[in-house]
Amino acid sequence: MVYLWSVLSFGSLTTALAALLMVAERYLVSYGICKLDINAGEKPLEVEGGRTLLSTLYENEIFIPSACGGKGTCGHCKITVTSGGGPVLPTETPYLSRKEIRSNVRLACQVKIREDIYVRIPEELLNIRMFASTVESVSELTHDIKEIRLRLDEPAELSHRPGQYVQIQAPSSNEPVFRAYSISSPVYEPNKVELVVKLVPGGVASTYLHSLKTGDTVHFTGPYGEFRLNEDPSVEIVCVGGGCGMAPMKNIIYTIYDKWPDRSCWLFFGCRTTDDIFYLERFEELAKKHPNFHVVYALSEQLGPDERWEGETGFIHLSVDKYLETGVKRQAFLCGPPPMIEAVTRVLDEKGIPSDDIFYDEF
Ligand code: FES
């Protein structure tokens, strides 16, 4: 008991000291004006020291991916700091490989500007813009998932690749809060951004997005994301997901059938119960027009007494295993919770898809 008290007291003391140091640094220490050099003189800035690299870049309209809003929990805000970033912090190491640490990759949300700092940022990220948009429609897809369609106002168009995402700005009285959402509208609708948003209890951004009404203004940055669809139409595309993992897959599927009407593509979508099913009729209509498009929905829970379902049952990786033959050249895109991604990846591996051709987005 005495030991437990000592541990607890020591823990509270170190937390209080850390908080005190943070407050002291914020209000008592002045680092003055520091040089922030981007890409060896391409974009030299003079900035006030003492803030994080991520928020300083944001103030200068350079929008680095930051799905967790700068909390140091997503690992998305990686950039190269060639000098002036100080030592790598313990909060960064879980997200950086040894190779990245050797190459001076850092988490921009964890690096504080305390002296002149030199960074390298890929050109693609320097082109990311802030968009203002208006809510065009809000539809309930299930009890906790909404489809939100935004019409772009300024800039009026967004050019993106299927599988990319935007970062929605949620209202906040302090630092700006951004959260990542995949674009579900196809690339041939450049003046629209559609989102599929699941309400997360206590989630700042999902609560905000679920409260939106037609005519409201929404700001976001983008587009972000590395995924590149294989442009060879003979390569079969396999999309596997569940819940709001539908968003990037819908974009990929509609984009494919606009460009390659005969391309072969599978959609495997896992739901718990019939209440979680959405877009099924829409995809069945698409499959009637494009015979090489195959749609498989599966329910993982037992049917209730009033539920009717003639489709697949069980976890979605079982359907993937059942329907896909081996020996076909494919590219796969998975979007869902880590256990689902792991199970599906194992099946795809057995079907002979090289790991380089399997892309995933965990949530
Ligand atoms: S913004 Fe998420 S880890 Fe830096």
Side-chain angles (χ1 to χ4, degrees):
M1 192 65 180
V2 173
Y3 173 73
L4 188 65
W5 268 115
S6 317
V7 170
L8 285 175
S9 318
F10 182 71
S12 320
L13 196 68
T14 46
T15 310
L17 270 175
L20 206 65
L21 278 173
M22 273 172 63
V23 172
E25 184 174 30
R26 180 133 171 77
Y27 294 104
L28 303 178
V29 183
S30 166
Y31 295 98
I33 298 298
C34 302
K35 183 171 159 186
L36 167 54
D37 182 274
I38 299 166
N39 296 351
E42 185 185 332
K43 208 171 162 82
L45 299 169
E46 302 235 304
V47 301
E48 200 167 332
R51 307 195 56 192
T52 67
L53 187 50
L54 183 74
S55 55
T56 306
L57 289 169
Y58 169 82
E59 272 166 19
N60 287 281
E61 302 200 338
I62 297 169
F63 305 110
I64 304 296
S66 57
C68 70
K71 290 196 191 116
T73 55
C74 70
H76 284 193
C77 60
K78 290 177 185 176
I79 61 170
T80 304
V81 179
T82 50
S83 164
V88 175
L89 302 175
T91 46
E92 295 175 81
T93 46
Y95 300 96
L96 300 174
S97 65
R98 279 200 206 138
K99 190 170 166 215
E100 285 176 324
I101 292 175
R102 277 201 303 277
S103 313
N104 300 316
V105 174
R106 303 289 303 271
L107 294 189
C109 70
Q110 300 300 300
V111 174
K112 272 253 174 95
I113 301 182
R114 297 185 167 97
E115 57 180 316
D116 290 352
I117 186 165
Y118 297 78
V119 304
R120 281 206 306 268
I121 301 177
E123 215 54 47
E124 199 174 58
L125 286 185
L126 291 179
N127 292 332
I128 283 171
R129 305 277 307 271
M130 169 72 86
F131 288 80
S133 66
T134 303
V135 178
E136 195 176 66
S137 68
V138 179
S139 321
E140 290 209 4
L141 299 178
T142 69
H143 67 286
D144 63 353
I145 297 182
K146 284 188 179 181
E147 175 197 278
I148 298 160
R149 280 181 73 80
L150 306 172
R151 189 191 60 243
L152 305 193
D153 297 325
E154 182 54 43
E157 292 198 347
L158 173 141
S159 150
H160 76 279
R161 299 191 305 272
Q164 286 197 297
Y165 65 94
V166 293
Q167 292 201 164
I168 299 289
Q169 182 169 19
S172 155
S173 48
N174 299 314
E175 297 262 315
V177 173
F178 285 93
R179 290 291 183 274
Y181 287 92
S182 291
I183 304 169
S184 59
S185 43
V187 299
Y188 54 82
E189 289 184 348
N191 59 339
K192 304 274 191 266
V193 162
E194 183 191 88
L195 310 171
V196 174
V197 181
K198 183 180 171 101
L199 183 63
V200 178
V204 184
S206 69
T207 306
Y208 160 64
L209 287 167
H210 269 241
S211 73
L212 289 173
K213 294 181 188 57
T214 307
D216 286 348
T217 299
V218 175
H219 289 95
F220 64 85
T221 60
Y224 302 92
E226 307 287 307
F227 176 70
R228 283 177 193 277
L229 184 67
N230 192 319
E231 294 281 315
D232 176 357
S234 70
V235 173
E236 185 174 86
I237 301 298
V238 178
C239 296
V240 191
C244 55
M246 171 61 83
M249 302 192 299
K250 177 170 177 267
N251 181 342
I252 290 169
I253 290 162
Y254 277 88
T255 299
I256 283 177
Y257 285 110
D258 181 59
K259 199 165 174 188
W260 300 286
D262 298 325
R263 191 161 180 176
S264 181
C265 174
W266 288 84
L267 167 64
F268 294 96
F269 192 65
C271 304
R272 284 182 25 225
T273 70
T274 48
D275 287 345
D276 302 314
I277 293 174
F278 62 94
Y279 288 160
L280 176 56
E281 283 172 15
R282 212 186 267 206
F283 284 124
E284 284 174 342
E285 281 302 310
L286 193 70
K288 278 186 200 152
K289 287 192 213 142
H290 304 279
N292 288 331
F293 176 44
H294 314 280
V295 188
V296 180
Y297 277 46
L299 301 186
S300 60
E301 287 190 1
Q302 291 237 315
L303 287 184
D306 302 327
E307 277 179 306
R308 294 181 66 78
W309 176 248
E310 285 165 7
E312 294 298 324
T313 54
F315 288 116
I316 197 66
H317 68 278
L318 300 173
S319 297
V320 177
D321 191 29
K322 176 175 168 183
Y323 284 93
L324 292 189
E325 291 165 9
T326 48
V328 177
K329 196 157 171 13
R330 299 186 170 105
Q331 184 186 41
F333 187 91
L334 325 179
C335 197
M340 185 214 88
I341 303 271
E342 215 173 286
V344 175
T345 304
R346 244 190 338 263
V347 173
L348 295 178
D349 182 47
E350 283 161 19
K351 300 283 175 191
I353 307 186
S355 56
D356 284 356
D357 291 325
I358 303 173
F359 297 82
Y360 60 86
D361 201 353
E362 286 180 347
F363 59 83

